[in-house]
Every structure is written in structure tokens, then in C-alpha cells.
Amino acid sequence: YEIEIVTGVQTCALPIFALLRLARGRAMSSAPMTVAVLPGDGIGPEVMDVAVKVLNHAGGLFGKSFKFNHAPVGGAAFDASGDHFPQSTRQACMDSEAILYGSVGGPVSEQHLPKWKDAEKNAVLGIRKAFDLAVNVRPATVYPTLAHASPLRSEIVDKGVDMVIIRELLGGLYFGEHKTEGDKATDVCEYSADQIRRPLEFAFTAAKQRRGRLTVVDKANVLDTSRLWRRVANEMAAQHPEVELEFMYVDNAAMQLIKAPSHFDVICTENLFGDILSDAASVLPGSLGLMPSASLGSSKYMYEPSGGSAPDLTGLDVANPVAQILCTAMMLRYTFALPEMAAAIETAVSSTLAAGICTADIAPPGAQPCGTKAFGDAVCKQLSETHA
């Protein structure tokens, strides 16, 4: 069984075994939907406020309500408790049906301080491990109305950029043994076949709902873990004959993302490679502020923007809230089985951008950019005009 997932102008499909709980009456329930809201640091609280405002506005138009369990994470949590992911925040997530995450981190010049040292590792990786968030889904699409913002040449953009990167989140170097002994440091990369099958199952299913091409990215000419990825992918390919499976070394994939991004449909890869390639791909639309993502687990999902905390922009009302807003749409579709409400938010965002209402990072040359809050207000206006 499969269920189709649409994220903005991006479509992917996920196996229904991962989403069965969506069908257990939630879409018909009148009870408030519970969301753990973790704004984090830097611009996180600003864009989160806008996203929650849009979500509440859409809820009013669709007759839905929310209960938000606000909790600190990252540097904000460290200030309050000395822990980047304290037990109280963990409990807020446990008590909620979904996790809406902002951004974590501080100024580069302060990364050595206890408040920021390992903040992202302790917070993000801690949440992923605590809630078995094993698969990350991150679309990268160039909006036609924002082609000017893409760093790619027009002849490349005109060929179309529409991909989704599916990344394994709980294995590889990030979760292997790390140790330093004098002048020698060791980081262990480990994968099991079962860990590899999980993201690949999502990837094969997504490819069948899209253009039918799956690119597995690895470094099989050097790494045993990559050779295992290839073996498992080839074994699974027999169950998905309609999908064109190809393998690509990660160094070549990095080059092709810039040189020929239209080649890619669905990319699936391991943790470290996926971290790097998804960030690179997210820049192609012109701003990380445009790109949402979802981290999917066996019982709970987390939604977070692809960009960072941008501490230099804090408090200036210039941050792009699009990714955080689109995270709420993904949440409505994935966790709460409300595709019409999700689509309404996505359409309102697209219509706002098409109307030329853009924050400074994506505004056309010579155009007057709008602020973070003003963009959220414009999206709410679009929602009202369409669904009043």
C-alpha cells in the first residue's frame, strides 16, 4: 500500500506502513491537535512565530484547532537548564503528536563556549535518536517565479530542478564510535542491511510516484559500507522493476547537482553524504529559507527548516519564514492527515511569492523586500481570500 505525499510543488510517496496511524481517526477528530513547538535559537523564534500564526489562521478557516507545547532546545535550553535537550523538552515531545522544530546554534566565534559547543549535535541528534527518526525527506525545487534567485545559469534552471533527497539519519559516522588518543582521532562508520533497507524502501516508493528514477549515492570504490548499500539496493530493485536504479559516487553527485541538477529525481544516501548533498541541493532554489524537511520515525515525525539559526539576522525582521511555514504544511499532511489544509498553506505561500512579496534573500533586483512578519501576514491574507 502507498500514500501520496505532496510537499509544495514536490510530490513523493511513502509506504503506508509508516503512516498507518494517520488513519486512526485523527482526520475526523475535533480534539485539538497537539504539537511540540521548539523554536531554538537565532531566527528560530521569529520564523516559528510566523509559522504558528499561519497555522492557526488556516486552522480557523478549516475548523481545526491546536494545542502547542512550547519548549526550549539548543542554546535557549542550555541557558535554562544547562542541557541542550533537557528532559522537560523530551517530555513535551512525548506528549505531542508532532514536533515542529526551529533552528539551533550560535555565532561561529562562540562555538567553543559550553552554550554552543555540541548544541546541534546534542539537540538534533538527540531528538532523532530518542524518537527513532530514521529517514529524512527534503525536496529541492526551483520555483519558476523565483528562478532569478537561483545561483544556477538560466539555461540550467530552464531544464527544471525538481528532486527529493532521502537520507538515512540514525547510522553512519554520526552515530559511530568517536575517540581521540593523543594525536590520533577515530570516527567509526557502521551500517547494517536493516538500517539501509528503511530509507531505500521510502526512496523506491517515492520514485514510483515521481519520474521513476532512483540514484543511490555512495563511495563504493573505497568504503565497505557503501558496497553494502549497493548490495541491498540491488536486492530490493527486483521488487521495484518500474524504477530505474543507478549508482553514483558522492564526489560525482556533488558535481552533477550543480552541473546537471535536472538529471536527478529521487536521491537516497547515507547519513554524512545526505547531510552534505541535501544542503547543497537546498541552495539551488536560491535560499535555504525556502526548503522544509521532515524526519520520519516509527511513531513520531519532526518537521524542521533546512536552514540554520542565522544569529547575525536575529531580531532584524528580515529572515525568510517560508521553510518554517511549509513545515507546518508537511506536518498537516504527514501527521494529521489533512491534505486539503496542507495544500491551502502551500498554495498561499506560492501565491504570495508569485505576487512579488519576498524577503530580502529572494527579492528580485530592485524590488522592495518585505519583512518576516509582513510575509506571514501576506500568506494569511491569501488564505482568507481563497478559503473565507
Side-chain angles (χ1 to χ4, degrees):
Y1 300 93
E2 297 169 0
I3 183 169
E4 183 175 320
I5 303 300
V6 181
T7 57
V9 296
Q10 183 79 40
T11 303
C12 64
L14 302 178
I16 203 168
F17 68 78
L19 302 172
L20 273 175
R21 65 195 191 90
L22 303 185
R24 295 174 184 170
R26 174 30 107 182
M28 302 300 295
S29 174
S30 60
M33 292 168 274
T34 57
V35 180
V37 177
L38 281 54
D41 309 309
I43 62 171
E46 297 173 54
V47 296
M48 185 68 78
D49 285 348
V50 170
V52 169
K53 180 178 181 178
V54 170
L55 182 61
N56 271 325
H57 189 77
L61 296 171
F62 281 81
K64 302 295 180 180
S65 61
F66 300 89
K67 176 186 176 183
F68 298 108
N69 295 322
H70 294 267
V73 71
F78 191 90
D79 282 342
S81 66
D83 190 340
H84 295 119
F85 180 40
Q87 179 58 39
S88 58
T89 299
R90 183 188 299 258
Q91 189 63 50
C93 295
M94 293 174 63
D95 293 340
S96 304
E97 296 167 274
I99 304 170
L100 193 58
Y101 188 90
S103 302
V104 164
V108 173
S109 61
E110 298 180 9
Q111 292 304 301
H112 62 288
L113 300 178
K115 177 178 178 177
W116 302 120
K117 186 179 181 182
D118 295 329
E120 185 172 355
K121 175 183 176 181
N122 294 337
V124 179
L125 270 63
I127 293 175
R128 288 173 185 168
K129 188 173 182 179
F131 297 104
D132 188 37
L133 304 179
V135 179
N136 180 260
V137 179
R138 186 182 293 188
T141 304
V142 174
Y143 287 82
T145 57
L146 297 179
H148 66 272
S150 176
L152 300 177
R153 298 196 311 269
S154 59
E155 57 264 36
I156 296 177
V157 175
D158 290 345
K159 294 180 181 179
V161 178
D162 180 12
M163 71 185 77
V164 61
I165 297 179
I166 297 177
R167 166 190 169 195
E168 197 286 324
L169 285 179
L170 295 181
L173 278 172
Y174 291 174
F175 286 90
E177 179 186 4
H178 308 283
K179 64 180 181 179
T180 300
E181 298 174 335
D183 292 335
K184 180 182 179 181
T186 303
D187 299 291
V188 177
C189 181
E190 292 183 335
Y191 269 107
S192 69
D194 286 342
Q195 284 178 302
I196 295 169
R197 290 188 189 98
R198 198 168 176 185
L200 280 173
E201 182 61 38
F202 282 90
F204 274 109
T205 307
K208 285 189 286 187
Q209 289 291 330
R210 290 172 50 88
R211 301 193 303 277
R213 173 180 288 171
L214 170 58
T215 305
V216 175
V217 174
D218 59 35
K219 193 64 176 172
N221 57 335
V222 176
L223 303 176
D224 274 15
T225 50
S226 287
R227 286 188 275 272
L228 181 60
W229 270 79
R230 289 205 177 194
R231 192 192 84 190
V232 174
N234 279 318
E235 290 171 353
M236 296 178 66
Q239 305 164 29
H240 306 278
E242 59 271 66
V243 175
E244 176 190 349
L245 174 64
E246 68 171 1
F247 298 96
M248 188 177 293
Y249 293 150
V250 64
D251 42 355
N252 185 33
M255 181 176 68
Q256 297 303 326
L257 275 177
I258 308 303
K259 181 181 177 181
S262 61
H263 171 83
F264 295 105
D265 182 18
V266 177
I267 295 173
C268 187
T269 190
E270 60 99 61
N271 206 344
L272 175 62
F273 298 161
D275 190 3
I276 297 168
L277 293 179
S278 58
D279 271 358
S282 293
V283 174
L284 301 181
S287 173
L288 281 170
L290 293 170
M291 309 312 298
S293 74
S295 296
L296 313 178
S298 54
S299 63
K300 198 180 299 289
Y301 303 163
M302 180 173 75
Y303 307 89
E304 61 178 308
S306 299
S309 61
D312 56 315
L313 302 181
T314 303
L316 300 180
D317 191 41
V318 297
N320 188 339
V322 167
Q324 193 76 70
I325 294 171
L326 292 179
C327 283
T328 69
M330 295 180 79
M331 179 181 69
L332 289 171
R333 186 174 279 108
Y334 282 49
T335 296
F336 298 117
L338 295 171
E340 291 184 4
M341 187 172 167
I345 291 177
E346 293 161 349
T347 300
V349 169
S350 296
S351 298
T352 300
L353 294 172
I357 301 173
C358 304
T359 49
D361 56 323
I362 54 174
Q368 179 64 38
C370 75
T372 307
K373 295 177 182 177
F375 187 90
D377 292 341
V379 173
C380 289
K381 182 180 179 182
Q382 286 283 349
L383 280 166
S384 294
E385 292 176 352
T386 307
H387 298 279

